[in-house]
Amino acid sequence: MQKISDDIMLHGTCYDDLRVLCKNIGHRLSGSPQAEKAVEWGQKAMEAAGADKVWLQPVDVPYWIRGEENLKLKFTNSDKYVEVPMLSLGNAVGTNGEILEAEVIIANSFEEFEKIPAKDVKGKIVFFNYHFRQDLVHTFHGYGDAGKYRWAGPSIASNKGAIGLIIRSVSTGLDDFPHTGAMGYKDAKPIPAVAVGNITADLMEQEFKKGAVKAQIMSRCRMIGTARSYNVIGEIKGSVYPNKIVVVGGHLDSWDVGDGAHDDGAGCVQSIEVIRTLKALNIKPRYTVRAVLFMNEENGLKGGLAYNDSSIANKEEHILAIESDAGGFSPRGFGLAMDESKRRQIQSYRNLFMPFGVYDFEHTEGGADISYLQKRGVPCAGLRPDPQRYFDLHHTANDVFEQVNHRELKLGAVALTNLVYLVSQYGLK
Amino acid sequence: MQKISDDIMLHGTCYDDLRVLCKNIGHRLSGSPQAEKAVEWGQKAMEAAGADKVWLQPVDVPYWIRGEENLKLKFTNSDKYVEVPMLSLGNAVGTNGEILEAEVIIANSFEEFEKIPAKDVKGKIVFFNYHFRQDLVHTFHGYGDAGKYRWAGPSIASNKGAIGLIIRSVSTGLDDFPHTGAMGYKDAKPIPAVAVGNITADLMEQEFKKGAVKAQIMSRCRMIGTARSYNVIGEIKGSVYPNKIVVVGGHLDSWDVGDGAHDDGAGCVQSIEVIRTLKALNIKPRYTVRAVLFMNEENGLKGGLAYNDSSIANKEEHILAIESDAGGFSPRGFGLAMDESKRRQIQSYRNLFMPFGVYDFEHTEGGADISYLQKRGVPCAGLRPDPQRYFDLHHTANDVFEQVNHRELKLGAVALTNLVYLVSQYGLK
């Protein structure tokens, strides 16, 4: 494990790989031309890492585009609209380029919204002003808590007669970056739905204390249809158990802003690093090791589904699936979603991981792309990096390569490679 | 402890305090006008935090100034000098504005340098090209390893007849920021000594493979003399043991580049946050709690010395001294420099700290400002934040407020306040 760490810290390519992915290709929403380029890049990077076999697995993905969009606000004591930073939520409908203008009503939570009579919602734009809970030390808990305003907010607002939605971004940031991210309409008439950054949301909150707020939403975002895309897979055949697989992955698609650096370029280049390191150190795993760059985690999860379907069709046995999709920050642990005896086996490696700053094996989350595998009983694990900065950047124009630290990213790859190494040598019983 | 965490994460002022210190005052080398302003700021901030008593403790500090400086290099296949980013090492002599021109000889380590005959060193500028060991997971180990080229390099070069020194910065960065930092001449004729960033050092390393390198050093840095400055101290009197003290601190001075944000504005504002939080939550510590902003950690340690001298003169009993001087990053643990039974007591709190991401109580470092206390047997502890980014920024123009994450900084304050709380309630036996 020390050799693995030394090799990655001194000779690892994940940081340089991430620079290429972020700076030569950039963001890469499913179905976009950049996603296509990212697939080509991933295939080449996996080959360069020395995988015995590299292939593309077809995935049909939704293709949503943003297009031109803006949001303008007018406050009580002003007679003119001012434009504020905004992003439509992913998968949302737009206004077809028309201006959707209405009075805005504020609700600080779903509970508050429930108490507003339907007649006061009808024809209005709703502003869900729910604050990300900064008191929660683990930011992913805060994300689970506030995220529902993004996922479910549009339907809840629409079902009460709202014609548009603005949400305070699901964000720990002290800035004005709006955060996009997936939403879906559930038994509801689709309405435009946009996010504003925390500074704009604070301003709106103040203005509501003084009087009325009006908004104009203009957006051309729309779902175009389906596109053919791919998961990128690289593999080292197991020397003893070629038909039993340890898989490690991240997702290749990203939102259509920023570089998709932490989310989830990091997980992709770290997964490629696993392959590179095993080959560079001439480690011959007893079980097959596979790295997967999943497509379409952000707005459909079709890559995770296709991988699972293919693995059922091919009667593959997965002994462990690991995902890195929580940012390229210093690793702290692994979530372990598996039965108790297997958890105990991995927890027994804790002291082996301590020299690399990895100590926390108490939690149980896996990852979205491997959730279909998890549902049918495959033991799953999720890398747990330090979570403090993630939701400042997540789904924003600020999730760029420059936000990733080379040592933190590499240490994450060390943690992943070491877990893959141990399980691909000793199995998981 | 949860209430302390919630209060800091939701209402803490340390991040805003740091913005003021960094952006309104900026860097603040001992003896400088900015250091004087920082003392005033610290006194006001400590009062605003609600300390029962705030005072300034006189400290006579060395006052070194940088002034204009530059470094120019000429390579084998070129006929002209090119200027490269550089910083004189702190406390070094300059060239009095003259151009010091000489051939440069390279040594990758002290061992290599030993093997070079003195006649080949005489009259030359030495380039110590020692690489920071990126393989060491804990970067402070790498700092200890590479740091000697900065601390001792000038004397070692001078004693063999060198007339100037260039070092590869003590840096994990993949950039060209030069890192300054303290050096001293030990039984050696003072010679100018400067640092270059890693990119320039890489370039020089390549050029030495092709042929000769010449350099021109021009610098006006010099030690001006001594100046009167102060430690800033705030205190909450213990309700049961007013004469027994738990002290927490960081250092107020910084190098004369950047904002001194991580080093060590962070430790100062976190120490003030300890006082603020105890007062805000109306916690009445049984032992006296004191926050100290030490002056002159960087190039003299006179603040730590003055504090210790005063505490001896006043027959004060310190039951614990804690320092935060390793950056405002996510906390991971505390180094514990104390006897075994006291270590065990604090280690027994480990599970109480786990919800705040603080798990590591196995190491033994305290901190520079409290090292005089430690030497005479005061139990000492040092906050251990995540160390991966620190030596990218340390002592550079890039150690600015923008590099500090609000949640990481606050979590460090949570860790400090919780340790102070536990020990000021339950003692340390």
Side-chain angles (χ1 to χ4, degrees):
Chain A
M1 289 170 72
Q2 188 62 54
K3 276 187 189 165
I4 283 171
S5 176
D6 291 351
D7 191 75
I8 292 174
M9 296 311 288
L10 293 174
H11 312 301
T13 59
C14 59
Y15 185 71
D16 291 327
D17 285 347
L18 187 63
R19 181 189 287 113
V20 173
L21 177 63
C22 289
K23 293 308 177 196
N24 295 9
I25 297 174
H27 58 68
R28 45 203 177 274
L29 186 62
S30 293
S32 68
Q34 297 99 311
E36 206 169 313
K37 278 189 199 157
V39 168
E40 286 170 31
W41 165 87
Q43 185 170 19
K44 279 183 196 147
M46 207 74 93
E47 284 162 359
D52 297 341
K53 188 182 159 193
V54 179
W55 70 99
L56 302 184
Q57 184 172 63
V59 185
D60 288 323
V61 298
Y63 184 24
W64 177 86
I65 59 161
R66 182 174 303 280
E68 192 193 353
E69 59 182 11
N70 60 59
L71 171 65
K72 294 176 181 173
L73 300 174
K74 191 164 81 175
F75 302 125
T76 284
N77 298 319
S78 171
D79 57 358
K80 65 174 182 210
Y81 275 98
V82 289
E83 189 170 342
V84 295
M86 59 79 82
L87 284 173
S88 286
L89 298 182
N91 297 345
V93 298
T95 67
N96 295 312
E98 308 287 307
I99 292 172
L100 177 74
E101 180 171 21
E103 197 189 323
V104 184
I105 59 165
I106 184 171
N108 292 305
S109 64
F110 286 151
E111 292 68 31
E112 257 192 48
F113 186 63
E114 264 179 36
K115 290 177 193 153
I116 303 176
K119 67 173 174 52
D120 296 343
V121 176
K122 201 169 159 59
K124 306 279 170 54
I125 292 171
V126 169
F127 172 44
F128 280 136
N129 180 42
Y130 187 76
H131 290 246
F132 197 110
R133 283 187 57 187
Q134 297 274 14
D135 56 320
L136 298 175
V137 171
H138 196 57
T139 56
F140 281 78
H141 299 162
Y143 182 60
D145 173 63
K148 55 182 177 285
Y149 289 87
R150 191 190 80 211
W151 307 320
S155 297
I156 288 172
S158 171
N159 280 333
K160 212 163 173 174
I163 60 169
L165 176 70
I166 302 170
I167 66 164
R168 177 186 282 270
S169 283
V170 183
S171 167
T172 50
L174 304 180
D175 51 41
D176 212 22
F177 281 101
H179 294 230
T180 187
M183 53 74 61
Y185 301 104
K186 203 179 167 190
D187 306 323
K189 183 183 164 204
I191 58 171
V194 310
V196 295
N198 273 324
I199 289 177
T200 293
D202 288 346
L203 173 66
M204 291 175 71
E205 189 177 308
Q206 290 310 310
E207 291 295 333
F208 271 104
K209 289 175 187 163
K210 300 183 200 158
V213 175
K214 289 187 76 174
Q216 291 180 339
I217 300 176
M218 193 292 289
S219 57
R220 297 181 186 276
C221 62
R222 67 185 200 278
M223 190 63 78
I224 288 193
T226 314
R228 170 53 58 96
S229 188
Y230 302 92
N231 292 330
V232 180
I233 308 180
E235 182 178 277
I236 303 174
K237 216 49 165 172
S239 60
V240 180
Y241 305 106
N243 298 321
K244 298 187 179 187
I245 301 162
V246 178
V247 66
V248 59
H251 64 85
L252 191 50
D253 65 308
S254 76
W255 278 108
D256 59 334
V257 289
D259 292 342
H262 280 290
D263 186 14
D264 181 27
C268 290
V269 298
Q270 288 172 330
S271 298
I272 295 168
E273 190 84 283
V274 172
I275 299 285
R276 187 205 65 78
T277 310
L278 296 179
K279 296 301 277 191
L281 295 177
N282 201 22
I283 294 169
K284 299 191 193 314
R286 288 152 53 88
Y287 294 80
T288 288
V289 171
R290 198 179 269 178
V292 182
L293 317 184
F294 294 96
M295 184 50 67
N296 187 228
E297 190 271 345
E298 292 296 1
N299 62 335
L301 216 53
K302 298 300 184 194
L305 183 61
Y307 184 84
N308 184 56
D309 286 349
S310 153
S311 113
I312 293 171
N314 295 328
K315 297 191 169 58
E316 290 173 350
E317 185 182 344
H318 283 77
I319 66 164
L320 178 64
I322 313 169
E323 180 146 11
S324 169
D325 183 21
F329 307 100
S330 279
R332 284 181 167 253
F334 285 98
L336 303 175
M338 57 191 69
D339 70 39
E340 202 48 36
S341 72
K342 293 185 172 70
R343 276 174 67 84
R344 281 207 207 96
Q345 181 186 328
I346 293 181
Q347 287 171 337
S348 77
Y349 299 147
R350 190 171 173 279
N351 284 343
L352 300 176
F353 278 96
M354 278 293 280
F356 312 102
V358 174
Y359 66 97
D360 183 359
F361 295 87
E362 300 308 312
H363 299 266
T364 56
E365 78 282 9
D369 292 298
I370 57 176
S371 59
Y372 291 104
L373 295 172
Q374 189 180 329
K375 271 177 212 151
R376 62 183 181 92
V378 171
C380 287
L383 181 67
R384 291 170 64 90
D386 191 289
Q388 299 311 321
R389 283 132 66 205
Y390 194 54
F391 294 102
D392 284 10
L393 307 168
H394 183 247
H395 300 176
T396 74
N398 200 23
D399 180 9
V400 292
F401 176 71
E402 292 75 7
Q403 296 286 354
V404 179
N405 177 268
H406 59 112
R407 289 185 56 88
E408 295 186 348
L409 180 75
K410 285 181 171 181
L411 272 180
V414 168
L416 288 171
T417 308
N418 275 331
L419 182 56
V420 167
Y421 167 72
L422 288 170
V423 174
S424 66
Q425 288 299 326
Y426 303 108
L428 187 59
K429 273 107 195 175
Chain B
M1 289 171 71
Q2 188 62 54
K3 277 187 191 165
I4 284 171
S5 176
D6 291 351
D7 191 76
I8 293 175
M9 296 311 287
L10 293 175
H11 312 299
T13 59
C14 59
Y15 187 70
D16 291 327
D17 285 347
L18 187 63
R19 182 189 287 113
V20 173
L21 177 62
C22 289
K23 294 307 176 195
N24 295 10
I25 297 174
H27 58 68
R28 46 204 177 272
L29 187 61
S30 292
S32 67
Q34 298 98 312
E36 207 170 313
K37 278 188 199 159
V39 167
E40 287 170 32
W41 165 88
Q43 186 171 17
K44 279 182 196 150
M46 207 75 93
E47 285 162 358
D52 298 341
K53 186 181 159 195
V54 179
W55 70 99
L56 302 184
Q57 183 172 64
V59 185
D60 288 322
V61 298
Y63 183 26
W64 178 85
I65 59 161
R66 181 174 303 280
E68 191 193 355
E69 59 182 11
N70 60 58
L71 171 65
K72 294 177 181 173
L73 300 174
K74 191 164 80 174
F75 303 125
T76 284
N77 298 319
S78 170
D79 57 357
K80 65 173 182 213
Y81 276 99
V82 289
E83 190 170 340
V84 294
M86 60 79 82
L87 284 173
S88 287
L89 298 182
N91 296 345
V93 298
T95 67
N96 295 314
E98 307 288 307
I99 292 171
L100 176 74
E101 180 170 23
E103 195 188 327
V104 183
I105 60 165
I106 184 172
N108 293 304
S109 65
F110 286 152
E111 292 68 31
E112 256 191 51
F113 185 65
E114 264 179 33
K115 289 175 193 152
I116 303 174
K119 68 174 175 50
D120 296 342
V121 176
K122 201 170 160 59
K124 305 279 170 53
I125 292 171
V126 169
F127 171 44
F128 280 136
N129 180 43
Y130 188 76
H131 290 246
F132 197 111
R133 282 186 59 188
Q134 297 274 14
D135 56 318
L136 298 174
V137 171
H138 197 58
T139 56
F140 281 77
H141 299 162
Y143 182 60
D145 173 64
K148 56 183 177 284
Y149 289 87
R150 189 190 81 210
W151 307 320
S155 297
I156 288 172
S158 170
N159 280 334
K160 213 164 172 174
I163 60 167
L165 176 68
I166 302 170
I167 67 163
R168 177 187 282 270
S169 283
V170 183
S171 167
T172 51
L174 304 180
D175 50 43
D176 213 22
F177 282 100
H179 295 230
T180 188
M183 53 73 61
Y185 301 103
K186 202 177 168 192
D187 306 323
K189 183 184 164 203
I191 58 170
V194 308
V196 295
N198 273 325
I199 289 177
T200 294
D202 289 345
L203 173 68
M204 291 175 71
E205 189 177 310
Q206 289 309 311
E207 291 295 333
F208 271 105
K209 289 175 187 164
K210 300 183 198 159
V213 175
K214 289 188 76 174
Q216 291 181 340
I217 300 176
M218 192 291 289
S219 56
R220 297 182 186 277
C221 63
R222 66 185 201 278
M223 191 64 79
I224 288 193
T226 314
R228 168 54 57 99
S229 188
Y230 302 91
N231 293 331
V232 181
I233 308 179
E235 183 177 277
I236 304 174
K237 218 43 165 179
S239 60
V240 180
Y241 306 105
N243 298 321
K244 297 187 179 188
I245 300 161
V246 178
V247 66
V248 59
H251 64 84
L252 190 51
D253 64 309
S254 76
W255 279 106
D256 60 334
V257 289
D259 292 341
H262 281 290
D263 186 14
D264 182 25
C268 291
V269 297
Q270 288 172 329
S271 298
I272 295 167
E273 190 84 282
V274 172
I275 299 287
R276 187 204 65 78
T277 310
L278 296 179
K279 295 302 276 191
L281 295 177
N282 201 23
I283 294 169
K284 300 194 190 312
R286 289 152 52 89
Y287 293 81
T288 288
V289 171
R290 196 178 271 178
V292 182
L293 316 183
F294 294 96
M295 184 50 67
N296 187 230
E297 189 272 346
E298 292 296 1
N299 63 336
L301 216 53
K302 299 298 182 195
L305 183 61
Y307 184 85
N308 183 57
D309 287 349
S310 154
S311 114
I312 292 170
N314 295 329
K315 297 191 171 57
E316 290 173 350
E317 185 182 346
H318 283 77
I319 66 163
L320 177 65
I322 313 170
E323 178 145 13
S324 169
D325 182 20
F329 307 99
S330 279
R332 285 181 166 253
F334 285 99
L336 302 175
M338 57 191 69
D339 70 40
E340 202 47 36
S341 71
K342 293 187 172 68
R343 276 174 66 84
R344 281 206 207 95
Q345 180 186 329
I346 293 181
Q347 287 170 337
S348 77
Y349 301 147
R350 189 171 174 280
N351 284 343
L352 301 176
F353 278 95
M354 279 292 279
F356 312 102
V358 173
Y359 64 98
D360 184 358
F361 295 86
E362 300 307 313
H363 300 266
T364 56
E365 79 280 12
D369 292 298
I370 58 177
S371 59
Y372 291 104
L373 295 172
Q374 188 180 329
K375 270 177 213 151
R376 63 182 181 92
V378 171
C380 287
L383 181 67
R384 291 171 64 90
D386 191 289
Q388 300 310 321
R389 282 132 66 205
Y390 194 55
F391 293 103
D392 284 10
L393 307 169
H394 182 249
H395 299 176
T396 73
N398 200 24
D399 180 9
V400 292
F401 176 70
E402 293 75 8
Q403 295 286 354
V404 179
N405 176 268
H406 58 114
R407 289 185 56 88
E408 294 185 351
L409 180 75
K410 284 182 171 180
L411 273 180
V414 168
L416 288 170
T417 308
N418 275 331
L419 183 57
V420 167
Y421 167 72
L422 288 169
V423 174
S424 66
Q425 289 299 327
Y426 303 108
L428 187 60
K429 275 105 193 178

